[in-house]
Amino acid sequence: DPGLARGHYNIATANLHLRRLAQAIASFERALEIDPLMMEAWNNLGNTYKELGRFEEAVDAYRRALIVTPSGSIYHNLGSTFLAACRYDSASNYFDKALRQQRQTESDGAGRETYIGLARSLRRGQRLPESVQTLTKALQDYPLDVGLLELLAQTQAALGQHGQALATYGRTGKPMAEIHLRLGQVALRRADSKLAERHFEQGLLTNPDDPRLHN
């Protein structure tokens, strides 16, 4: 049955998993010619375009998916696409919409990856205090999440809140040498070589043989 939309969708999905992206696009488009209301085909078509770096086409596909079925995961995908395209205000806007949708429709609350996406968008858009607020809220849902704690500590360090950053990193359970290494790297990215030097030296006090700190 060449008119079976689900068959074309499944071929497209298989090609996507095999990284045959051009073939995947062709089959997703064929499925959508037959059934323009197949939300998952629009969504995966957007995923495929995003993999290829064709961000405008990805955004268009995701928006068409939203017309069919508003979904927190699709808002998240839009945020992720704008983040990859370095359009940070748009990214934070859609990640925020994703969080609101997830809170309304998902029993386990907002998604961890959406919190991280929103925090990174705000940070890269130089909205560091808002990024800290987002991560603090995320840690209410995921209080022992090491990835969230690390991102919060790095953002606090970027704001110059060194005491808070050190305390936040301490909650991860990582060795002090590792903590000072990470904070030193943040200082280097901010071109604060004196602070970076102090962190690397303090790290070496607890682990004198760490080659990364010596480097």
Side-chain angles (χ1 to χ4, degrees):
D1 180 2
L4 187 65
R6 181 63 57 177
H8 291 288
Y9 171 82
N10 288 339
I11 290 170
T13 303
N15 277 317
L16 178 57
H17 284 300
L18 290 168
R19 306 289 301 164
R20 298 171 182 166
L21 302 184
Q23 295 95 318
I25 288 171
S27 291
F28 282 132
E29 289 178 341
R30 180 63 185 129
L32 288 163
E33 286 175 4
I34 300 166
D35 183 2
L37 297 180
M38 187 183 289
M39 182 274 288
E40 59 269 40
W42 284 118
N43 186 51
N44 279 330
L45 179 61
N47 292 339
T48 310
Y49 281 134
K50 184 187 171 193
E51 286 285 315
L52 289 166
R54 294 163 61 176
F55 298 131
E56 291 298 330
E57 291 163 290
V59 165
D60 182 65
Y62 290 136
R63 283 176 171 160
R64 288 174 178 266
L66 281 176
I67 291 171
V68 178
T69 307
S71 163
S73 64
I74 299 172
Y75 282 121
H76 175 98
N77 289 343
L78 275 162
S80 179
T81 302
F82 281 118
L83 179 58
C86 301
R87 293 172 59 181
Y88 302 125
D89 285 342
S90 294
S92 59
N93 178 48
Y94 279 103
F95 279 127
D96 186 61
K97 287 182 178 180
L99 286 173
R100 294 175 189 274
Q101 187 77 17
Q102 289 164 357
R103 291 191 192 102
Q104 291 175 4
T105 60
E106 298 178 17
S107 59
D108 57 352
R112 174 186 180 275
E113 294 304 315
T114 304
Y115 275 124
I116 289 175
L118 177 56
R120 285 180 173 156
S121 300
L122 293 167
R123 180 175 171 180
R124 292 176 189 175
Q126 301 304 311
R127 296 161 63 182
L128 299 181
E130 292 173 77
S131 184
V132 167
Q133 291 172 5
T134 296
L135 290 164
T136 301
K137 187 178 293 184
L139 283 162
Q140 295 174 4
D141 291 339
Y142 304 93
L144 300 177
D145 189 285
V146 172
L148 290 169
L149 287 167
E150 286 188 359
L151 194 55
L152 175 58
Q154 291 167 8
T155 307
Q156 289 169 329
L159 278 167
Q161 300 171 351
H162 306 297
Q164 294 98 313
L166 195 60
T168 300
Y169 253 127
R171 291 164 60 191
T172 67
K174 290 183 177 294
M176 286 305 298
E178 182 74 22
I179 292 171
H180 283 295
L181 173 68
R182 301 290 180 87
L183 290 175
Q185 290 169 338
V186 172
L188 273 183
R189 288 196 292 271
R190 297 177 60 233
D192 191 341
S193 57
K194 291 295 184 182
L195 179 60
E197 184 179 351
R198 287 201 299 273
H199 276 300
F200 296 141
E201 288 176 341
Q202 289 172 14
L204 285 167
L205 291 176
T206 61
N207 187 358
D209 298 321
D210 190 318
R212 300 169 302 168
L213 290 162
H214 282 292
N215 186 54

